[in-house]
Amino acid sequence: MSFKQINEQCYYYESSVNVGYVQLGSSGVLIDAGIDASSVKKILKELKNRELPLTHLFITHAHADHYGGASYIQERYDVYTMAPSFEEAILRNPSLEPLYLFGGNDPLDELKNKFLQGPPMKVDQIVEEGSINIGGKSLQTVCLPGHSYYQLALLVDGILYAADSYFSLATLKKHKIPFLTDAKLAIESLHKLLEMDLLGAVPGHGTFEENPIRTIEGNIRYHEGLMEWLFQYVSSVEEGVSHEEAVAQMCNHFGVSCGRLSQWLLQRTAVTAYIIGLKKNQRLADRIVHNRWVLKAHDE
Ligand SMILES: [Zn+2]
């Protein structure tokens, strides 16, 4: 864990979840807020030691590891908080996350943990793709869905704070089946990144790279590889595969073991994201058969 300087104005705190920081004259914006108070305390200490101002907070998406520390900051600093459209509703009502992961049922107590649900925070400005103004400077926001419904990355003079639009290749290997909400959209977002003229990028999990193209291409190949495995598996079963069976088989094949219900719910969403990708690419069809959601390969 260390506070790293990218250029004159751009920094990031490298940790298991990265937090960005940009100084803009007498203003300063923190990009995401870590998972909890203890992680954000270290970042606030670094800012203080370097006499860097903190006036704004920008949250990229409503996952607890990216916003869990936000309420701690808001209680102690007068920060103007910006968050993406849609995601902001979850940031203000964090119990929505265990609720949606649990399929809309009232979440069991074990699902109300800090990995699924951070403390509620306030949002001063709802942001769409386009630009925001901080300290008299216009910064570009880039919508990169697929990992979260309306994830926004922040572009500052060629440096992209990319949120979870891509992961380091080590992070992908560690997670085995990374969390996505829609694999087709995730891959489209990765292609959008490849078309950007970047001087460097910081992913949410991983390290800053001046040229992240190989890592981004590696992400595309990784997602396509998982999607292809799932397609081949479903194709190999003539009568089709139930959703539940697809989740179990894919997790088993890639060595994911879910010890807790919360982990299984996250993996179920991740596997379903690849199913959605295949369905949108018209490679899989789906039907309800004997009260099961059953997937079948499209006839060639
Ligand atoms: Zn995330």
Side-chain angles (χ1 to χ4, degrees), residues 17 60-66 147-148 151 163-165 167 179 205:
V17 189
T60 58
H61 65 296
H63 286 167
D65 55 338
H66 291 254
H147 167 79
S148 187
Q151 173 173 256
D164 290 350
S165 58
F167 301 100
F179 185 85
H205 308 271

Side-chain angles (χ1 to χ4, degrees), residues 29 55-60 74 79-89 91-92 121-135 137-139 141 150 152 154:
V29 56
T55 56
H56 291 71
L57 178 60
F58 181 88
I59 301 293
T60 58
Q74 291 182 334
V79 285
Y80 183 78
T81 303
M82 302 162 152
S85 178
F86 185 86
E87 305 281 337
E88 59 86 24
L91 298 173
R92 291 185 294 104
M121 55 177 287
K122 70 179 176 66
V123 175
D124 298 305
Q125 185 181 336
I126 300 168
V127 182
E128 309 275 342
E129 181 168 56
S131 63
I132 54 172
N133 196 292
I134 297 176
K137 192 170 165 97
S138 176
L139 310 180
T141 54
Y150 200 88
L152 284 180
L154 195 61

Side-chain angles (χ1 to χ4, degrees), residues 142 144 160 165-166 186-198 201 211-221 224:
V142 186
L144 298 166
L160 186 75
S165 58
Y166 74 94
I187 290 168
E188 284 171 6
S189 289
L190 288 161
H191 283 288
K192 187 171 171 178
L193 288 179
L194 288 179
E195 284 164 22
M196 291 176 72
D197 205 6
L198 298 176
N211 184 354
I213 285 177
R214 283 179 64 177
T215 305
I216 294 165
E217 287 173 344
N219 274 251
I220 294 172
R221 274 196 301 277
E224 286 179 344

